[in-house]
């Protein structure tokens, strides 16, 4: 539903190196829709979302003292398909273009606009007193569609091959339902089986339903159904 979101209070963790992986299927275009955010206020927020004006993907980190921002060259308007999105960040990398990488269906995305973080920059994530949000940016910009297999990795930057692989026969990008990854202190794996928000990682970082209703669906990345948008 368009007003459904999940949240969990964060504790202190790695602010320089992390991975977000999610499978999403859109039901609405032309509106700004948040996949993931870490936020305490409008002045302190990290977000991954679909842009409303043109359906590109946006990655941003805004704090006092600097802004990190990326916009994909590609647009994402297929409401019949699942997208696998992986954001891998490591600000300790000497080369700036290695500090932020975004993958969609196994391919590294190119950016039409980019502002890389400075070396060893602490991003607004894993900050005590902030929240992890799935499907919103605290109080709006709700994601309208389906989500599954959402991973957050605290302390390691993985590329897309940790969570999926290319089918040798069809050439399609396929989900890895049980990736071998190290989650770290704040890491989690939710929405693994149906609509459960209990952490399926080696941690116990369960989420709370902030608002709305979670609906289980047979439509999933391994068995795609026709859906209305």
């Amino acid at each position: 539903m368009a007003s459904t979101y999940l949240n969990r209070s964060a504790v202190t963790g790695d602010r320089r190196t992390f991975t977000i992986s999610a499978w999403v299927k859109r039901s609405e275009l032309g509106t700004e829709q948040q996949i993931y955010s870490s936020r305490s206020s409008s002045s302190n927020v990290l977000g991954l979302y679909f842009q409303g004006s043109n359906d590109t993907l946006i990655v941003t980190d805004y704090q006092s003292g600097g802004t990190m921002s990326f916009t994909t060259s590609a647009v994402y308007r297929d409401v019949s398909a699942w997208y696998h999105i992986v954001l891998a960040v490591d600000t300790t990398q000497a080369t700036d273009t290695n500090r932020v990488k975004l993958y969609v269906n196994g391919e590294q995305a190119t950016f039409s606009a980019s502002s890389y973080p400075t070396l060893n920059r602490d991003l607004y994530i894993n900050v005590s007193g902030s929240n992890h949000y799935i499907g919103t940016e605290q109080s709006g910009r709700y994601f309208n569609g389906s989500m599954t297999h959402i991973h957050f990795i605290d302390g390691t930057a993985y590329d897309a091959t940790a969570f999926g692989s290319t089918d040798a026969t069809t050439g399609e990008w396929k989900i890895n339902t049980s990736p071998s990854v190290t989650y770290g202190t704040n890491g989690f794996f939710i929405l693994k089986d149906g609509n459960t928000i209990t952490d399926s990682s080696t941690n116990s970082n369960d989420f709370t339903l902030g608002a709305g209703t979670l609906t289980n669906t047979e439509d999933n990345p391994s068995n795609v159904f026709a859906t209305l948008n």
Side-chain angles (χ1 to χ4, degrees):
M1 294 178 64
S3 59
T4 299
Y5 73 91
L6 310 175
N7 67 284
R8 175 184 174 271
S9 296
V11 298
T12 302
D14 198 319
R15 297 183 59 187
R16 300 178 180 180
T17 308
F18 61 90
T19 309
I20 298 167
S21 172
W23 287 81
V24 304
K25 188 174 186 180
R26 307 189 70 187
S27 295
E28 182 180 9
L29 305 178
T31 60
E32 189 167 307
Q33 296 181 40
Q34 204 83 17
I35 299 170
Y36 169 88
S37 69
S38 174
R39 173 186 168 117
S40 63
S41 70
S42 59
S43 299
N44 293 290
V45 60
L46 180 145
L48 170 64
Y49 61 94
F50 289 105
Q51 176 64 276
S53 60
N54 56 15
D55 298 303
T56 57
L57 269 170
I58 304 287
V59 179
T60 187
D61 177 85
Y62 178 78
Q63 303 173 68
S64 299
T67 301
M68 175 190 85
S69 182
F70 301 88
T71 303
T72 60
S73 303
V75 299
Y76 303 96
R77 294 173 175 156
D78 189 349
V79 294
S80 66
W82 285 88
Y83 290 112
H84 180 218
I85 298 168
V86 176
L87 173 63
V89 175
D90 184 357
T91 68
T92 69
Q93 293 292 317
T95 303
D96 61 355
T97 53
N98 289 333
R99 294 174 196 159
V100 177
K101 296 180 180 179
L102 185 67
Y103 302 87
V104 180
N105 294 342
E107 296 185 0
Q108 187 172 344
T110 59
F111 300 118
S112 61
S114 60
S115 176
Y116 285 90
T118 55
L119 181 65
N120 293 322
R121 176 177 170 84
D122 287 333
L123 302 182
Y124 201 78
I125 199 163
N126 287 329
V127 180
S128 180
S130 67
N131 273 2
H132 295 279
Y133 290 98
I134 305 297
T136 188
E137 193 198 41
Q138 189 175 33
S139 59
R141 301 175 180 176
Y142 299 108
F143 180 80
N144 193 351
S146 300
M147 293 185 173
T148 190
H149 285 249
I150 300 176
H151 301 265
F152 176 71
I153 311 297
D154 177 12
T156 308
Y158 290 101
D159 64 26
T161 58
F163 308 97
S165 60
T166 302
D167 187 285
T169 301
T170 65
E172 293 180 304
W173 185 250
K174 296 292 187 180
I175 190 172
N176 178 358
T177 57
S178 298
S180 179
V181 295
T182 301
Y183 285 93
T185 301
N186 255 353
F188 56 79
F189 178 12
I190 60 171
L191 302 179
K192 179 182 180 180
D193 297 308
N195 57 357
T196 178
I197 55 177
T198 300
D199 184 12
S200 297
S201 78
T202 51
N203 298 322
S204 298
N205 295 328
D206 301 341
F207 269 67
T208 299
L209 179 62
T213 304
L214 290 177
T215 303
N216 196 8
T217 173
E218 296 299 323
D219 185 16
N220 62 75
S222 298
N223 190 16
V224 181
F225 281 62
T227 54
L228 292 174
N229 64 301

